[in-house]
Amino acid sequence: IRKVRMQNGDMLRVLELEDQLDDVVLLSGHVERPGGYQFRSGMRVSHLLGSTDALLPGADIDFLLIKREDRATLRTQVIYGNLLQAISQPGAAEDILLQPRDQVLVFDLAEDRELSMAEIVRELELQATEYRPARVVQLSGAVRYPGRLPLQEGARLLDVLALGGGGRTGTDLHYGVIARTLHPSRDIEILSFSLAAAQTGPDGAGNPLIQPGDRLYFFDEDQGRGDLMREEIDRLQQQASYGSQEKVVTVLGEVNHDGTYPLERDMRASDLLCAAGGLTRKAYGVSAELSRVQHQRGAENTVQHIALDTTGLLRICELRREQAKGRIPLSEYLAHYQAEEINPLLEPMDQLAFSEKAGWVERATVTLSGEVQHPGVYAIDRGETLCNVMQRAGGVT
């Protein structure tokens, strides 16, 4: 540059030195001494956090996150870790090897996790393209920290659950939903999961891989499903085109969580009953009715009604739970599950109904007070009159 001759009108700008962080790792979050630390070869998480004394009260010891820049692609990536295992087992696999410019984040249990990782999520979203969705996952429902959170490459269901702080008390261990947008078609695919099966076999199919852009729904055992999945139901209904049916099914009557559910691939009647949380105590537990629209070319559509054995469906749901916990072999469960006559495959817009027991009466009471021989609370039966109750109370004084 010294040989370049300056000419009239040239502009020469001298830049300041860049703030290089090539040999530094950053520690941030709920720790005693956040800041930059000198990087050295072979450095691990335990070198930054040698014991729990380095943490502030209320730190999440079951989870940590490392933000890393891929030197080859310059893209942001995240790595999940278990802080307690890293501290208690120095040098083990959970004690993650660090790289220069890594940022190690320790979380406060009382802090909104979506808010604390909003900047990382924003970076990941800026790096996304039409064919490469942002490496972000959406958690909704019965988890401690719902929201949009960064996704580690190769993360499975239980990894993402740990990212969300774990399930809340009463989380349904047998039914959850992954809603996935397929690219480039933008179609919605629905996959159900069982947390019990994932915990029984963390390395198996019960603990599925999570993909960028997935939306995970965790349900409370006492919570209705429809409101939480309303947006997914709407998407499925909107993507139905001329000549195709909406990929939703409905369960009605005496089930714990009635309503409209997304139709999964190869979904059967027992899957819908299990998703609805089983039957209520008022249900007629002998038979159910599956109603299906029959499309007639050149004629009006008709509705076909199919009687199903409720006892068989309940048995399959129970076997599903037992198999998820590893108590029975998969073959025993499949032998019942794949029986087409008892447990038929569902089709779009199918409706499954469970009726009430004949003559069911909820327990009812009346209270007698004042000038009666024996005032108090009396149980009554259907059709019982005031005079009947007064006689049981001994009449008036």
Side-chain angles (χ1 to χ4, degrees), residues 229-310:
M229 290 194 293
R230 173 48 50 195
E231 290 187 9
E232 302 301 339
I233 298 296
D234 291 343
R235 289 189 183 107
L236 289 168
Q237 292 174 334
Q238 292 167 8
Q239 78 178 19
S241 58
Y242 177 76
S244 66
Q245 291 275 41
E246 300 170 3
K247 292 184 178 180
V248 296
V249 289
T250 304
V251 59
L252 299 174
E254 298 304 324
V255 292
N256 287 307
H257 304 293
D258 62 352
T260 300
Y261 286 75
L263 177 65
E264 302 174 50
R265 181 184 300 175
D266 299 327
M267 189 177 189
R268 294 181 178 267
S270 67
D271 297 322
L272 183 54
L273 176 57
C274 296
L279 300 180
T280 68
R281 59 193 179 92
K282 298 189 295 182
Y284 178 55
V286 176
S287 66
E289 185 175 74
L290 176 64
S291 300
R292 175 172 295 164
V293 177
Q294 297 290 315
H295 299 279
Q296 309 291 336
R297 188 180 296 273
E300 291 186 359
N301 295 337
T302 59
V303 178
Q304 178 187 13
H305 301 293
I306 305 168
L308 299 180
D309 179 6
T310 303

Coordinates of all heavy atoms in Angstrom, one line a residue, residues 229-310:
M229 N -54.3 -27.3 20.5 CA -53.9 -27.6 19.2 C -54.8 -26.9 18.1 O -54.8 -27.3 16.9 CB -54.0 -29.1 18.9 CG -52.9 -29.9 19.7 SD -52.8 -31.6 19.1 CE -54.4 -32.3 19.6
R230 N -55.5 -25.8 18.5 CA -56.4 -25.2 17.6 C -55.7 -24.7 16.3 O -56.2 -24.9 15.2 CB -57.1 -24.0 18.3 CG -58.0 -23.1 17.5 CD -58.9 -23.9 16.6 NE -59.7 -24.9 17.3 CZ -60.4 -25.8 16.7 NH1 -60.3 -26.0 15.4 NH2 -61.1 -26.7 17.4
E231 N -54.5 -24.1 16.4 CA -53.8 -23.6 15.2 C -53.5 -24.8 14.3 O -53.6 -24.6 13.1 CB -52.6 -22.9 15.6 CG -52.9 -21.5 16.3 CD -51.6 -20.7 16.5 OE1 -50.5 -21.1 16.0 OE2 -51.7 -19.7 17.2
E232 N -53.0 -25.9 14.8 CA -52.7 -27.1 14.0 C -53.9 -27.6 13.3 O -53.9 -28.0 12.1 CB -52.0 -28.2 14.8 CG -50.8 -27.7 15.5 CD -49.7 -27.2 14.6 OE1 -49.7 -27.5 13.4 OE2 -48.8 -26.4 15.1
I233 N -55.1 -27.7 14.0 CA -56.3 -28.1 13.4 C -56.7 -27.2 12.3 O -57.1 -27.7 11.2 CB -57.4 -28.2 14.5 CG1 -57.1 -29.2 15.6 CG2 -58.8 -28.6 13.8 CD1 -57.0 -30.6 15.1
D234 N -56.6 -25.9 12.5 CA -56.9 -24.9 11.4 C -56.0 -25.1 10.2 O -56.5 -25.0 9.1 CB -56.8 -23.5 12.0 CG -57.9 -23.2 13.0 OD1 -58.9 -23.9 13.1 OD2 -57.7 -22.2 13.8
R235 N -54.7 -25.3 10.5 CA -53.8 -25.5 9.3 C -54.2 -26.8 8.5 O -54.2 -26.8 7.3 CB -52.4 -25.7 9.9 CG -51.7 -24.4 10.4 CD -50.3 -24.6 10.7 NE -49.6 -23.4 11.2 CZ -49.3 -23.3 12.5 NH1 -49.5 -24.3 13.3 NH2 -48.7 -22.2 13.0
L236 N -54.5 -27.9 9.2 CA -54.9 -29.1 8.5 C -56.2 -28.9 7.7 O -56.3 -29.4 6.6 CB -55.1 -30.2 9.5 CG -53.8 -30.7 10.2 CD1 -54.1 -31.7 11.4 CD2 -53.0 -31.5 9.2
Q237 N -57.1 -28.1 8.3 CA -58.3 -27.9 7.5 C -58.1 -27.0 6.3 O -58.7 -27.2 5.3 CB -59.4 -27.3 8.5 CG -59.8 -28.3 9.6 CD -60.7 -27.6 10.6 OE1 -60.7 -26.4 10.8 NE2 -61.6 -28.4 11.2
Q238 N -57.2 -26.0 6.5 CA -56.9 -25.1 5.4 C -56.2 -25.7 4.2 O -56.3 -25.3 3.1 CB -56.2 -23.9 5.9 CG -57.0 -23.0 6.8 CD -56.2 -22.0 7.5 OE1 -55.0 -21.8 7.3 NE2 -56.8 -21.3 8.5
Q239 N -55.3 -26.7 4.5 CA -54.5 -27.3 3.5 C -55.3 -28.4 2.7 O -54.8 -28.9 1.7 CB -53.2 -28.0 4.1 CG -53.4 -29.3 4.7 CD -52.1 -29.9 5.2 OE1 -51.1 -29.2 5.4 NE2 -52.1 -31.2 5.5
A240 N -56.5 -28.7 3.1 CA -57.3 -29.6 2.3 C -57.7 -29.0 1.0 O -58.3 -27.9 1.0 CB -58.5 -30.1 3.1
S241 N -57.4 -29.6 -0.1 CA -57.8 -29.1 -1.4 C -59.0 -29.8 -2.0 O -59.5 -30.7 -1.4 CB -56.5 -29.2 -2.4 OG -56.2 -30.6 -2.5
Y242 N -59.4 -29.3 -3.2 CA -60.5 -29.9 -3.8 C -60.3 -31.4 -4.1 O -59.3 -31.8 -4.6 CB -60.8 -29.2 -5.2 CG -61.9 -29.8 -6.0 CD1 -63.3 -29.5 -5.6 CD2 -61.7 -30.6 -7.1 CE1 -64.3 -30.1 -6.3 CE2 -62.7 -31.2 -7.8 CZ -64.0 -30.9 -7.4 OH -65.1 -31.5 -8.1
G243 N -61.3 -32.2 -3.7 CA -61.2 -33.6 -3.9 C -60.5 -34.4 -2.8 O -60.4 -35.6 -2.8
S244 N -60.0 -33.7 -1.8 CA -59.4 -34.3 -0.6 C -60.1 -33.9 0.7 O -60.7 -32.8 0.7 CB -57.9 -34.0 -0.6 OG -57.7 -32.6 -0.3
Q245 N -60.0 -34.8 1.6 CA -60.7 -34.5 2.9 C -59.7 -33.9 3.9 O -58.5 -34.0 3.8 CB -61.2 -35.9 3.5 CG -62.3 -36.5 2.7 CD -63.7 -35.9 3.2 OE1 -63.8 -34.7 3.4 NE2 -64.6 -36.7 3.3
E246 N -60.3 -33.2 4.9 CA -59.5 -32.6 5.9 C -58.9 -33.7 6.8 O -59.7 -34.6 7.2 CB -60.3 -31.6 6.8 CG -60.9 -30.5 6.0 CD -62.0 -29.7 6.8 OE1 -62.2 -30.1 8.0 OE2 -62.5 -28.8 6.2
K247 N -57.6 -33.7 7.1 CA -57.0 -34.8 7.9 C -57.2 -34.6 9.4 O -56.3 -34.3 10.1 CB -55.5 -34.9 7.5 CG -55.3 -35.3 6.1 CD -53.8 -35.5 5.8 CE -53.6 -36.0 4.3 NZ -52.2 -36.2 4.0
V248 N -58.5 -34.6 9.8 CA -58.8 -34.5 11.2 C -59.9 -35.6 11.5 O -60.6 -36.1 10.6 CB -59.4 -33.1 11.5 CG1 -58.3 -32.1 11.4 CG2 -60.6 -32.8 10.7
V249 N -59.9 -36.0 12.7 CA -60.9 -37.0 13.2 C -61.5 -36.4 14.5 O -60.9 -35.6 15.2 CB -60.3 -38.4 13.5 CG1 -60.0 -39.0 12.1 CG2 -59.1 -38.3 14.4
T250 N -62.7 -36.9 14.8 CA -63.4 -36.4 16.0 C -63.9 -37.5 16.9 O -64.3 -38.6 16.5 CB -64.7 -35.6 15.5 OG1 -64.3 -34.6 14.6 CG2 -65.4 -35.0 16.7
V251 N -63.8 -37.3 18.2 CA -64.3 -38.2 19.2 C -65.3 -37.5 20.1 O -65.0 -36.4 20.5 CB -63.1 -38.8 20.1 CG1 -62.3 -37.7 20.8 CG2 -63.6 -39.8 21.0
L252 N -66.4 -38.1 20.3 CA -67.5 -37.5 21.0 C -68.1 -38.4 22.1 O -67.8 -39.6 22.1 CB -68.7 -37.2 20.0 CG -68.4 -36.3 18.8 CD1 -69.6 -36.2 17.9 CD2 -68.0 -34.9 19.3
G253 N -68.8 -37.8 23.0 CA -69.5 -38.5 24.0 C -68.7 -38.7 25.3 O -68.0 -37.7 25.7
E254 N -68.8 -39.8 25.9 CA -68.3 -40.0 27.2 C -66.8 -40.4 27.2 O -66.4 -41.5 27.6 CB -69.1 -41.1 27.9 CG -70.6 -40.7 28.1 CD -70.7 -39.4 28.8 OE1 -69.9 -39.1 29.8 OE2 -71.7 -38.7 28.5
V255 N -66.0 -39.5 26.8 CA -64.5 -39.6 26.9 C -64.0 -38.4 27.7 O -64.7 -37.4 27.9 CB -63.8 -39.6 25.5 CG1 -64.2 -40.9 24.8 CG2 -64.2 -38.4 24.7
N256 N -62.8 -38.5 28.3 CA -62.3 -37.5 29.1 C -62.0 -36.2 28.4 O -62.1 -35.1 29.0 CB -61.1 -38.0 29.9 CG -61.4 -39.0 31.0 OD1 -62.3 -38.7 31.8 ND2 -60.8 -40.2 30.9
H257 N -61.6 -36.3 27.1 CA -61.2 -35.1 26.4 C -61.8 -35.2 25.0 O -61.1 -35.7 24.0 CB -59.7 -34.9 26.3 CG -59.0 -34.9 27.7 ND1 -59.2 -33.8 28.5 CD2 -58.2 -35.7 28.3 CE1 -58.6 -34.1 29.6 NE2 -57.9 -35.2 29.5
D258 N -63.0 -34.9 24.8 CA -63.7 -35.0 23.5 C -63.2 -33.8 22.6 O -62.6 -32.9 23.0 CB -65.2 -35.0 23.6 CG -65.7 -33.8 24.2 OD1 -64.9 -32.9 24.7 OD2 -67.0 -33.6 24.2
G259 N -63.5 -33.9 21.3 CA -63.2 -32.9 20.4 C -62.5 -33.4 19.1 O -62.5 -34.6 18.8
T260 N -61.9 -32.4 18.3 CA -61.3 -32.8 17.1 C -59.8 -32.9 17.3 O -59.2 -32.1 17.9 CB -61.6 -31.6 16.1 OG1 -63.0 -31.5 15.9 CG2 -60.9 -31.9 14.7
Y261 N -59.3 -34.0 16.6 CA -57.8 -34.3 16.7 C -57.2 -34.4 15.3 O -57.9 -34.8 14.4 CB -57.7 -35.7 17.4 CG -57.9 -35.6 18.9 CD1 -59.2 -35.5 19.4 CD2 -56.9 -35.7 19.8 CE1 -59.5 -35.5 20.8 CE2 -57.1 -35.6 21.2 CZ -58.4 -35.5 21.7 OH -58.6 -35.5 23.0
P262 N -55.9 -34.1 15.2 CA -55.3 -34.3 13.9 C -55.1 -35.8 13.6 O -54.9 -36.6 14.5 CB -53.9 -33.7 14.1 CG -53.7 -33.7 15.6 CD -55.0 -33.5 16.2
L263 N -55.3 -36.1 12.3 CA -55.2 -37.5 11.9 C -53.8 -37.8 11.6 O -53.1 -37.2 10.7 CB -56.1 -37.7 10.7 CG -56.0 -39.1 10.0 CD1 -56.6 -40.2 11.0 CD2 -56.8 -39.2 8.7
E264 N -53.2 -38.8 12.3 CA -51.8 -39.3 12.0 C -51.8 -40.3 10.9 O -52.9 -40.9 10.6 CB -51.2 -39.9 13.2 CG -51.2 -39.0 14.4 CD -50.7 -39.7 15.6 OE1 -49.6 -40.4 15.5 OE2 -51.4 -39.7 16.7
R265 N -50.7 -40.6 10.3 CA -50.5 -41.7 9.4 C -50.8 -43.0 10.1 O -50.2 -43.2 11.2 CB -49.2 -41.6 8.7 CG -48.9 -42.7 7.7 CD -47.5 -42.7 7.2 NE -47.2 -41.4 6.6 CZ -46.0 -41.1 6.1 NH1 -45.0 -41.9 6.3 NH2 -45.8 -39.9 5.6
D266 N -51.6 -43.9 9.5 CA -51.9 -45.2 10.0 C -52.5 -45.2 11.4 O -52.3 -46.1 12.3 CB -50.6 -46.1 10.1 CG -50.0 -46.3 8.7 OD1 -50.8 -46.4 7.7 OD2 -48.8 -46.4 8.6
M267 N -53.3 -44.1 11.7 CA -53.9 -44.0 13.0 C -55.1 -44.9 13.1 O -55.9 -45.1 12.1 CB -54.4 -42.5 13.2 CG -54.9 -42.2 14.6 SD -55.3 -40.4 14.7 CE -55.7 -40.2 16.4
R268 N -55.3 -45.6 14.2 CA -56.4 -46.5 14.4 C -57.4 -46.0 15.5 O -57.1 -45.0 16.2 CB -55.9 -47.9 14.8 CG -55.1 -48.5 13.6 CD -54.6 -49.9 14.0 NE -53.9 -50.6 12.9 CZ -54.5 -51.4 12.0 NH1 -55.8 -51.6 12.1 NH2 -53.8 -51.9 11.0
A269 N -58.5 -46.7 15.6 CA -59.5 -46.2 16.6 C -59.0 -46.2 18.0 O -59.3 -45.2 18.8 CB -60.7 -47.2 16.5
S270 N -58.2 -47.1 18.4 CA -57.6 -47.1 19.8 C -56.7 -45.9 20.0 O -56.7 -45.4 21.1 CB -56.9 -48.4 20.1 OG -55.7 -48.5 19.3
D271 N -56.0 -45.5 19.0 CA -55.2 -44.3 19.1 C -56.0 -43.1 19.5 O -55.6 -42.2 20.3 CB -54.4 -44.0 17.9 CG -53.4 -45.2 17.5 OD1 -52.8 -45.8 18.4 OD2 -53.3 -45.5 16.3
L272 N -57.1 -42.9 18.9 CA -58.0 -41.8 19.1 C -58.6 -41.9 20.6 O -58.6 -40.9 21.3 CB -59.1 -41.7 18.1 CG -60.1 -40.5 18.2 CD1 -59.3 -39.2 18.2 CD2 -61.1 -40.6 17.1
L273 N -59.0 -43.1 21.0 CA -59.5 -43.3 22.3 C -58.4 -43.0 23.4 O -58.6 -42.3 24.4 CB -60.0 -44.7 22.5 CG -60.5 -45.1 23.9 CD1 -61.6 -44.1 24.4 CD2 -61.0 -46.5 24.0
C274 N -57.2 -43.4 23.1 CA -56.1 -43.2 24.0 C -55.8 -41.7 24.1 O -55.5 -41.1 25.2 CB -54.8 -43.9 23.6 SG -55.0 -45.7 23.7
A275 N -55.8 -41.0 22.9 CA -55.5 -39.6 22.9 C -56.5 -38.8 23.7 O -56.2 -37.8 24.3 CB -55.5 -39.1 21.5
A276 N -57.8 -39.3 23.7 CA -58.9 -38.6 24.4 C -58.9 -38.9 25.9 O -59.7 -38.5 26.6 CB -60.2 -39.0 23.8
G277 N -57.9 -39.7 26.4 CA -57.8 -40.0 27.8 C -58.7 -41.0 28.3 O -58.9 -41.2 29.5
G278 N -59.2 -41.9 27.4 CA -60.1 -43.0 27.9 C -61.5 -42.5 28.1 O -61.9 -41.4 27.8
L279 N -62.3 -43.4 28.7 CA -63.7 -43.2 28.9 C -64.0 -42.6 30.3 O -63.2 -42.8 31.3 CB -64.5 -44.5 28.8 CG -64.4 -45.3 27.5 CD1 -65.2 -46.5 27.6 CD2 -64.9 -44.4 26.3
T280 N -65.1 -41.9 30.4 CA -65.6 -41.4 31.7 C -66.3 -42.5 32.4 O -66.6 -43.6 31.8 CB -66.5 -40.2 31.5 OG1 -67.7 -40.7 30.9 CG2 -65.9 -39.1 30.7
R281 N -66.6 -42.3 33.7 CA -67.3 -43.4 34.5 C -68.8 -43.5 34.0 O -69.4 -44.5 34.3 CB -67.3 -43.0 35.9 CG -67.9 -41.7 36.3 CD -67.5 -41.3 37.7 NE -68.1 -40.0 38.1 CZ -69.3 -39.8 38.6 NH1 -70.0 -40.9 38.9 NH2 -69.8 -38.6 38.9
K282 N -69.3 -42.6 33.2 CA -70.7 -42.7 32.8 C -70.8 -43.4 31.4 O -71.9 -43.7 30.9 CB -71.3 -41.3 32.6 CG -71.4 -40.4 33.8 CD -72.1 -39.2 33.6 CE -71.5 -38.2 32.6 NZ -72.2 -37.0 32.5
A283 N -69.7 -43.8 30.8 CA -69.7 -44.4 29.5 C -70.3 -45.8 29.5 O -70.1 -46.6 30.4 CB -68.3 -44.4 28.9
Y284 N -70.9 -46.1 28.4 CA -71.4 -47.4 28.1 C -70.2 -48.2 27.5 O -69.9 -48.1 26.4 CB -72.6 -47.4 27.1 CG -73.1 -48.7 26.7 CD1 -73.6 -49.6 27.7 CD2 -73.2 -49.1 25.4 CE1 -74.1 -50.9 27.3 CE2 -73.7 -50.3 25.0 CZ -74.2 -51.2 26.0 OH -74.7 -52.4 25.6
G285 N -69.6 -49.0 28.4 CA -68.3 -49.7 28.0 C -68.4 -50.9 27.2 O -67.6 -51.8 27.4
V286 N -69.5 -51.1 26.4 CA -69.6 -52.3 25.7 C -69.4 -52.1 24.2 O -68.7 -52.8 23.5 CB -71.0 -52.9 25.9 CG1 -71.2 -54.2 25.0 CG2 -71.2 -53.3 27.4
S287 N -70.0 -51.0 23.6 CA -69.9 -50.8 22.2 C -69.8 -49.3 21.9 O -70.2 -48.4 22.7 CB -71.1 -51.3 21.4 OG -72.3 -50.6 21.8
A288 N -69.1 -49.0 20.8 CA -69.0 -47.6 20.3 C -69.4 -47.6 18.9 O -69.5 -48.6 18.2 CB -67.5 -47.1 20.5
E289 N -69.5 -46.4 18.3 CA -69.9 -46.2 16.9 C -68.9 -45.4 16.2 O -68.6 -44.2 16.6 CB -71.3 -45.6 16.9 CG -71.9 -45.6 15.4 CD -73.3 -45.1 15.4 OE1 -73.5 -43.9 15.6 OE2 -74.2 -45.9 15.2
L290 N -68.4 -45.9 15.1 CA -67.6 -45.2 14.1 C -68.4 -44.8 12.9 O -69.0 -45.6 12.2 CB -66.4 -46.0 13.7 CG -65.4 -45.4 12.7 CD1 -64.7 -44.2 13.2 CD2 -64.4 -46.5 12.2
S291 N -68.5 -43.4 12.7 CA -69.3 -42.9 11.6 C -68.3 -42.4 10.5 O -67.4 -41.6 10.8 CB -70.2 -41.8 12.0 OG -71.1 -42.3 13.0
R292 N -68.6 -42.8 9.3 CA -67.6 -42.5 8.2 C -68.4 -42.1 6.9 O -69.4 -42.7 6.5 CB -66.8 -43.7 7.9 CG -65.8 -43.6 6.7 CD -64.9 -44.8 6.6 NE -64.0 -44.9 7.8 CZ -63.3 -45.9 8.1 NH1 -63.5 -47.1 7.4 NH2 -62.5 -45.9 9.2
V293 N -67.9 -41.0 6.3 CA -68.6 -40.5 5.1 C -68.1 -41.4 3.9 O -66.9 -41.6 3.7 CB -68.2 -39.0 4.9 CG1 -68.8 -38.5 3.5 CG2 -68.7 -38.1 6.0
Q294 N -69.1 -41.9 3.2 CA -68.9 -42.6 2.0 C -69.1 -41.8 0.7 O -70.2 -41.3 0.5 CB -69.8 -43.9 1.9 CG -69.6 -44.8 3.0 CD -68.3 -45.6 2.9 OE1 -67.9 -46.0 1.9 NE2 -67.6 -45.7 4.1
H295 N -68.0 -41.5 0.0 CA -68.1 -40.7 -1.2 C -68.6 -41.5 -2.4 O -68.0 -42.5 -2.8 CB -66.8 -40.0 -1.5 CG -66.3 -39.1 -0.4 ND1 -66.8 -37.9 -0.2 CD2 -65.5 -39.4 0.7 CE1 -66.2 -37.3 0.9 NE2 -65.4 -38.3 1.4
Q296 N -69.7 -41.1 -3.0 CA -70.2 -41.7 -4.2 C -70.0 -40.9 -5.4 O -70.5 -39.7 -5.4 CB -71.7 -42.0 -4.0 CG -72.1 -42.7 -2.7 CD -71.6 -44.1 -2.6 OE1 -71.5 -44.7 -3.6 NE2 -71.5 -44.6 -1.4
R297 N -69.4 -41.4 -6.4 CA -69.1 -40.7 -7.6 C -70.5 -40.4 -8.3 O -71.2 -41.4 -8.7 CB -68.2 -41.4 -8.5 CG -67.7 -40.6 -9.8 CD -66.8 -41.5 -10.6 NE -65.6 -41.8 -9.9 CZ -64.5 -41.0 -9.9 NH1 -64.5 -39.8 -10.6 NH2 -63.4 -41.3 -9.3
G298 N -70.8 -39.2 -8.6 CA -72.0 -38.8 -9.3 C -73.3 -39.0 -8.4 O -74.4 -38.9 -9.0
A299 N -73.1 -39.1 -7.1 CA -74.3 -39.3 -6.3 C -74.0 -38.6 -4.9 O -72.9 -38.2 -4.7 CB -74.7 -40.7 -6.1
E300 N -75.1 -38.5 -4.1 CA -74.9 -37.8 -2.8 C -74.0 -38.7 -1.9 O -74.1 -40.0 -2.0 CB -76.2 -37.6 -2.2 CG -77.1 -36.5 -2.9 CD -78.3 -36.2 -2.1 OE1 -78.5 -36.8 -1.0 OE2 -79.1 -35.3 -2.5
N301 N -73.3 -38.1 -1.1 CA -72.5 -38.9 -0.1 C -73.4 -39.5 0.9 O -74.5 -39.0 1.3 CB -71.5 -38.0 0.6 CG -70.4 -37.4 -0.3 OD1 -70.2 -38.0 -1.4 ND2 -69.8 -36.3 0.0
T302 N -73.0 -40.7 1.5 CA -73.7 -41.3 2.5 C -72.8 -41.5 3.7 O -71.6 -41.4 3.6 CB -74.2 -42.7 2.0 OG1 -73.1 -43.5 1.7 CG2 -75.2 -42.6 0.9
V303 N -73.4 -41.8 4.9 CA -72.7 -42.0 6.1 C -72.8 -43.4 6.5 O -73.9 -44.0 6.7 CB -73.2 -41.1 7.2 CG1 -72.4 -41.3 8.5 CG2 -73.0 -39.6 6.8
Q304 N -71.7 -44.1 6.7 CA -71.6 -45.5 7.2 C -71.4 -45.5 8.7 O -70.5 -44.8 9.2 CB -70.5 -46.2 6.4 CG -70.4 -47.7 6.9 CD -69.2 -48.3 6.2 OE1 -68.3 -47.7 5.7 NE2 -69.1 -49.7 6.3
H305 N -72.1 -46.3 9.4 CA -72.0 -46.5 10.8 C -71.5 -47.9 11.1 O -72.0 -48.9 10.7 CB -73.3 -46.2 11.6 CG -73.9 -44.9 11.3 ND1 -73.3 -43.7 11.8 CD2 -75.0 -44.5 10.6 CE1 -74.1 -42.7 11.4 NE2 -75.1 -43.1 10.7
I306 N -70.3 -47.9 11.9 CA -69.7 -49.2 12.2 C -69.6 -49.4 13.7 O -69.1 -48.5 14.4 CB -68.2 -49.2 11.6 CG1 -68.3 -48.9 10.1 CG2 -67.6 -50.5 11.9 CD1 -66.9 -48.6 9.5
A307 N -70.2 -50.5 14.2 CA -70.2 -50.8 15.6 C -68.8 -51.3 16.0 O -68.3 -52.2 15.3 CB -71.3 -51.7 16.0
L308 N -68.2 -50.8 17.1 CA -66.9 -51.3 17.5 C -67.0 -51.8 19.0 O -67.9 -51.4 19.7 CB -65.9 -50.2 17.5 CG -65.6 -49.6 16.1 CD1 -64.5 -48.5 16.3 CD2 -65.1 -50.6 15.2
D309 N -66.2 -52.7 19.3 CA -66.1 -53.3 20.7 C -65.3 -52.4 21.6 O -64.1 -52.3 21.5 CB -65.5 -54.7 20.6 CG -65.5 -55.4 22.0 OD1 -66.0 -54.8 23.0 OD2 -64.9 -56.4 22.1
T310 N -66.0 -51.7 22.5 CA -65.3 -50.7 23.4 C -64.4 -51.5 24.3 O -63.3 -51.0 24.6 CB -66.4 -50.0 24.2 OG1 -67.2 -49.3 23.3 CG2 -65.7 -48.9 25.1

